[in-house]
Amino acid sequence: MTFAIHGLAVAPGIAIGRAVIAVNSRMEVVHYFIEPTQVHDEIKRVRRARDTVVEELKRMQEDLPADAPHELAALLDVHLMLLQDELLENGVKRWISDRLYNAEWALTTQLELITRQFDEMEDEYLRERKADLEQVAERILRYMRGVASPVAPPPASPRRAQPTLTGLGEEFAEDPLVLVANDLSPADMLQFKSSVFAGFITDVGGKTSHTAIVARSMDIPAVVGARSASQLVRQDDWVVIDGDAGVVIVNPSPIILEEYGFRRRQVSLERERLSRLRHTPAVTLDGQSIELLANIERPSDCEAALRGGAAGVGLFRTEFLFMGRAGIMPDEDEQYQSYREALEGMKGAPVTIRTIDIGADKPLDKGQRENSVLNPALGLRAIRWSLADAVMFRAQLRAILRAAVHGPVHLLFPMLSGVGEIRQTLAQLDIARSELDTRGVPYGELKIGAMIEVPAAALMVRSFLKYFDYLSIGTNDLVQYTLAIDRADEAVAHLYDPMHPAVLRLIADVIAAANEAGKGVSVCGEMAGDVAMTKLLLGFGLRSFSMHPAQILAVKQEILRADAGRLTEWARTVLDSDEPEAICSGG
Ligand code: PEP
Ligand code: MG
């Protein structure tokens, strides 16, 4: 049966493929592809964990006191039976060997398949055994966490064979795959960056959640906030992701498929047309030169940045170097190598390296989410996190200072909110320099900048300008904190409004203040890559935009058609309005 699920459009384009269900919301597990050579060990990992659980349950059974309730013994029997069930074991083995899923992913995928069969059972008693099965799987997963698993999963290179999978009753074909998940952490998304997925769907998340941002950086269609998609879509269902409309169509009819196939071809023709602008300088009709920079998550993204025609990196989100490593942080040397790689990758163009922005919807590891505090976005995040662990912070600063020997580095601090914090931050930078002096290690000159992403910072922009060489406006957070809307919460996504007059006035004021002071100012939030905002930002006086490499050419096209001088007057009327959106859509 064909049906549609509505969510939020986060990465444009059309993807058509078979669903891979990645996450069971009750059990957060890591998902990655293994190499074919690891299949044997991965199967062994599940088996060892399973055997340990069996032994544990048998011991419990033996130790049961004679007066224990009869139900308890019966429950242990059921759990032991489920644990040793062939459907579970064989299914898991096949997901590992045929699709190269890691052990945890294979187990939760098979679990999902079986529990759906339980859901369809007439017999209420059997239906209720679903919860037992979930408990058993959870036990295995818990043991697996204690059994060696690679810290940094290997790059994804799935070789898709043609298995028949118990429970599916159908052969996989060499079809494109789309990932459907309850939630994906930003680190998960990064792992999938070099994978085969043609698109992503998640149940939760807002448009500027970090998971959505990484999806957009991958330049493949994605829909987030699709509520119960991971429950409604079944493993291997055909789905269409309409990344422009934020709609997912499940089991599309041939006519729908044909229509979307046509639209997909249109999108690729448009991209081809835009690619001709790659070497065209970004200059407005009235001769204003505009700087177009790239946002990256890893040094290897520099290749895409150059391909997209970026004049440099305007935001290197270094926290992605720290994520998904089971708490083992990259040390100074490892970080130095990564920053150096980015600088060399950009071939002499400047690289803006932002210090770690961890916290809120960017946990270091998944476990952190479960233990998260009440208001993580208002908690120990970004620069606050760094200042709370000065040793770690200075290791990062030293690594950046050392890398600056290899190319122009613009150091950037996230989420500063006042002068006290600025002073503490700059003091750490001085200490980091003197530590390198003491060690006799060479380091380079830096430009030093602050992100403006808290209303307090925007309101104090003139004070900020006394301390910094340049500013970068993080509109994703500036919108979140100005409007008190959690950017990662799909329940309030409709209220997340980058065109809110309060937001626009803060942005315009920061740009004007930096321009007056003769200092650089850029926007590096998602707004910079949104073609609907290009003219307004030009009208506010912005001359530097940083975005995902895939968005650069479309923004350049807008710039080539704009007359910056004339836009100034128009932008003023937008700013004076209580309903800027109405003027923008009319103007
Ligand atoms: C922002 O807040 O706009 C920004 C660029 O930083 P991040 O999205 O990484 O929080
Ligand atoms: Mg931010």
Side-chain angles (χ1 to χ4, degrees):
M1 187 189 61
T2 302
F3 61 96
I5 304 170
H6 291 259
L8 302 166
V10 294
I14 308 290
I16 303 173
R18 286 209 188 245
V20 171
I21 312 287
V23 171
N24 179 316
S25 58
R26 253 166 63 88
M27 279 174 278
E28 287 244 353
V29 296
V30 286
H31 303 86
Y32 54 89
F33 293 107
I34 57 168
E35 294 295 334
T37 51
Q38 294 173 301
V39 166
H40 181 70
D41 286 346
E42 208 64 3
I43 293 175
K44 235 166 63 188
R45 226 158 54 81
V46 196
R47 203 171 284 146
R48 268 165 55 194
R50 200 263 328 252
D51 291 348
T52 314
V53 177
V54 168
E55 274 165 36
E56 185 192 63
L57 293 188
K58 282 191 173 155
R59 248 196 331 272
M60 282 167 78
Q61 223 173 19
E62 279 163 16
D63 296 346
L64 267 186
D67 57 349
H70 165 70
E71 290 81 2
L72 198 54
L75 193 70
L76 285 174
D77 277 341
V78 169
H79 280 206
L80 275 166
M81 190 193 76
L82 290 169
L83 265 172
Q84 293 167 90
D85 186 81
E86 274 188 6
L87 191 64
L88 187 64
E89 179 168 0
N90 293 342
V92 171
K93 265 190 344 211
R94 288 197 178 111
W95 289 113
I96 294 174
S97 56
D98 297 330
R99 282 231 180 149
L100 299 179
Y101 287 1
N102 65 306
E104 290 87 347
W105 187 1
L107 180 63
T108 47
T109 302
Q110 185 60 15
L111 175 71
E112 197 222 69
L113 262 176
I114 304 176
T115 51
R116 285 196 180 182
Q117 292 174 0
F118 273 88
D119 280 340
E120 283 158 16
M121 285 175 184
E122 299 272 312
D123 185 306
E124 195 181 339
Y125 172 81
L126 286 177
R127 241 188 359 250
E128 282 172 4
R129 299 287 62 81
K130 181 178 136 178
D132 294 313
L133 187 64
E134 282 172 348
Q135 283 169 14
V136 160
E138 249 176 274
R139 266 177 191 276
I140 303 179
L141 282 171
R142 237 177 290 132
Y143 274 97
M144 257 194 291
R145 274 183 204 137
V147 181
S149 147
V151 168
S157 55
R159 165 194 56 96
R160 275 184 286 127
Q162 307 276 324
T164 39
L165 189 81
T166 322
L168 266 185
E170 190 179 347
E171 297 230 317
F172 296 131
E174 285 289 330
D175 296 320
L177 301 177
V178 301
L179 191 67
V180 188
N182 173 261
D183 191 12
L184 290 171
S185 72
D188 268 340
M189 290 299 288
L190 207 62
Q191 277 169 28
F192 288 131
K193 204 159 179 166
S194 39
S195 79
V196 286
F197 293 113
F200 290 88
I201 304 163
T202 61
D203 296 347
V204 302
K207 264 190 167 186
T208 58
S209 64
H210 285 94
T211 302
I213 287 174
V214 181
R216 209 168 298 134
S217 78
M218 292 161 73
D219 195 23
I220 55 174
V223 171
V224 302
R227 305 295 169 124
S228 43
S230 71
Q231 302 293 318
L232 298 171
V233 182
R234 285 163 178 260
Q235 204 64 247
D236 255 23
D237 273 352
W238 275 102
V239 293
V240 173
I241 301 178
D242 182 339
D244 296 291
V247 175
V248 178
I249 296 163
V250 187
N251 298 320
S253 65
I255 291 182
I256 294 178
L257 265 183
E258 200 177 314
E259 165 67 20
Y260 275 103
F262 173 74
R263 281 188 46 196
R264 200 169 48 175
R265 284 192 294 281
Q266 299 285 99
V267 170
S268 62
L269 281 176
E270 171 63 14
R271 286 188 183 193
E272 215 177 290
R273 202 179 57 72
L274 275 179
S275 70
R276 291 186 214 129
L277 296 180
R278 198 180 142 209
H279 299 292
T280 311
V283 179
T284 60
L285 292 173
D286 55 336
Q288 295 275 337
S289 224
I290 309 297
E291 182 180 50
L292 296 180
L293 304 168
N295 291 356
I296 64 167
E297 280 94 33
R298 305 180 298 191
S300 55
D301 295 337
C302 290
E303 212 183 296
L306 289 179
R307 224 182 312 119
V313 168
L315 176 65
F316 179 176
R317 290 180 160 102
T318 60
E319 53 275 14
F320 284 90
L321 301 175
F322 293 71
M323 284 179 193
R325 299 172 51 112
I328 301 165
M329 307 276 199
D331 63 12
E332 180 187 321
D333 279 338
E334 189 182 339
Q335 287 187 61
Y336 158 72
Q337 291 300 347
S338 300
Y339 306 142
R340 179 179 174 171
E341 197 186 327
L343 282 157
E344 289 173 351
M346 288 310 290
K347 303 187 187 333
V351 176
T352 306
I353 305 178
R354 180 177 73 179
T355 59
I356 187 168
D357 177 4
I358 217 73
D361 69 330
K362 275 186 292 194
L364 270 183
D365 282 297
K366 284 184 166 183
Q368 274 198 347
R369 277 185 169 186
E370 289 148 30
N371 311 329
S372 63
V373 287
L374 213 52
N375 279 312
L378 305 181
L380 201 59
R381 193 197 146 181
I383 196 68
R384 302 168 185 180
W385 197 87
S386 295
L387 291 174
D389 188 345
V391 172
M392 188 282 309
F393 187 35
R394 285 204 306 278
Q396 179 169 38
L397 294 174
R398 288 192 304 269
I400 297 171
L401 283 161
R402 285 171 57 193
V405 169
H406 304 283
V409 170
H410 298 179
L411 175 61
L412 183 61
F413 296 110
M415 227 186 140
L416 287 164
S417 61
V419 169
E421 231 170 18
I422 294 175
R423 291 210 182 106
Q424 280 182 51
T425 302
L426 297 180
Q428 290 299 325
L429 184 59
D430 285 341
I431 301 174
R433 280 198 189 97
S434 56
E435 284 168 341
L436 289 173
D437 285 336
T438 310
R439 277 165 44 191
V441 175
Y443 57 89
E445 290 289 310
L446 304 166
K447 276 196 174 177
I448 302 169
M451 288 198 74
I452 303 293
E453 39 188 359
V454 182
L459 293 167
M460 292 188 60
V461 60
R462 285 157 188 87
S463 306
F464 270 59
L465 284 163
K466 291 183 204 152
Y467 292 89
F468 294 102
D469 301 317
Y470 72 100
L471 302 176
S472 184
I473 310 176
T475 49
N476 305 335
D477 278 315
L478 192 59
V479 174
Q480 151 164 281
Y481 294 125
T482 304
L483 303 180
I485 302 295
D486 185 340
R487 61 193 268 195
D489 184 352
E490 71 283 1
V492 285
H494 60 293
L495 300 171
Y496 186 95
D497 179 13
M499 289 292 286
H500 191 292
V503 172
L504 294 184
R505 284 171 207 176
L506 290 177
I507 294 172
D509 190 46
V510 170
I511 295 170
N515 286 343
E516 265 164 41
K519 298 214 168 163
V521 59
S522 180
V523 168
C524 64
E526 295 303 291
M527 209 184 250
D530 180 355
V531 289
M533 300 298 294
T534 310
K535 289 197 169 120
L536 190 58
L537 291 172
L538 284 171
F540 289 165
L542 189 73
R543 298 294 179 261
S544 173
F545 296 63
S546 191
M547 66 203 81
H548 303 299
Q551 297 167 318
I552 291 178
L553 295 179
V555 170
K556 192 189 275 185
Q557 178 170 261
E558 284 298 295
I559 287 167
L560 297 174
R561 294 169 177 167
D563 182 328
R566 286 174 63 181
L567 287 172
T568 312
E569 194 55 39
W570 169 71
R572 218 166 281 139
T573 60
V574 175
L575 265 191
D576 289 341
S577 165
D578 289 339
E579 290 174 307
E581 193 142 26
I583 302 189
C584 284
S585 50

